[in-house]
Amino acid sequence: MFEEGGQRAGSDTGWAHVANHDKAATVIDTILRLDADETYTKTALSEEAGVPLKTLYLDGTLEELVTVGLLEKHEAEGKETLFSVDDGSAAFEAAKAFDTAAATSEEADS
């Protein structure tokens, strides 16, 4: 039932997507603050999030965030891949709602 680290084998829950990528939460936090009308390279996303590019590349964080609907991937032959925030997706709306709820909860606890 559980793999090493307490992860359920074959789990495809939203939280599993975050848990399976070391810096996904940090990148999601960054995505919520980026301009949805802009496009970003992998390097720019790495710098904005403060996460080493190698980490994002090796564990597939950006590809996973495209899969779940937080980022859109823009590929053009012979050009660097660009990403934009998918601010119309259910995943983005849920992440934004969680961000707001968690911030509101923290304020209430103070």
Side-chain angles (χ1 to χ4, degrees):
M1 179 171 154
F2 288 98
E3 295 175 352
E4 184 177 324
Q7 303 276 334
R8 281 191 350 202
S11 177
D12 61 357
T13 67
W15 290 113
H17 286 289
V18 174
N20 289 333
H21 295 83
D22 289 338
K23 296 297 183 179
T26 302
V27 178
I28 292 169
D29 183 55
T30 300
I31 288 169
L32 294 175
R33 287 145 186 71
L34 292 176
D35 184 342
D37 295 327
E38 296 292 326
T39 56
Y40 302 89
T41 63
K42 288 180 182 182
T43 301
L45 289 171
S46 165
E47 290 172 356
E48 289 286 336
V51 176
L53 181 59
K54 184 176 179 179
T55 299
L56 297 180
Y57 179 76
L58 290 178
D59 77 356
T61 301
L62 297 181
E63 294 299 327
E64 186 67 17
L65 296 177
V66 169
T67 299
V68 300
L70 289 167
L71 289 173
E72 291 183 50
K73 187 175 183 179
H74 310 278
E75 294 181 286
E77 192 172 325
K79 294 188 178 182
E80 185 172 7
T81 300
L82 297 174
F83 297 86
S84 61
V85 175
D86 189 354
D87 66 340
S89 72
F92 182 87
E93 291 303 319
K96 192 73 160 173
F98 177 78
D99 187 56
T100 300
T104 303
S105 174
E106 185 176 286
E107 289 171 7
D109 291 342
S110 297

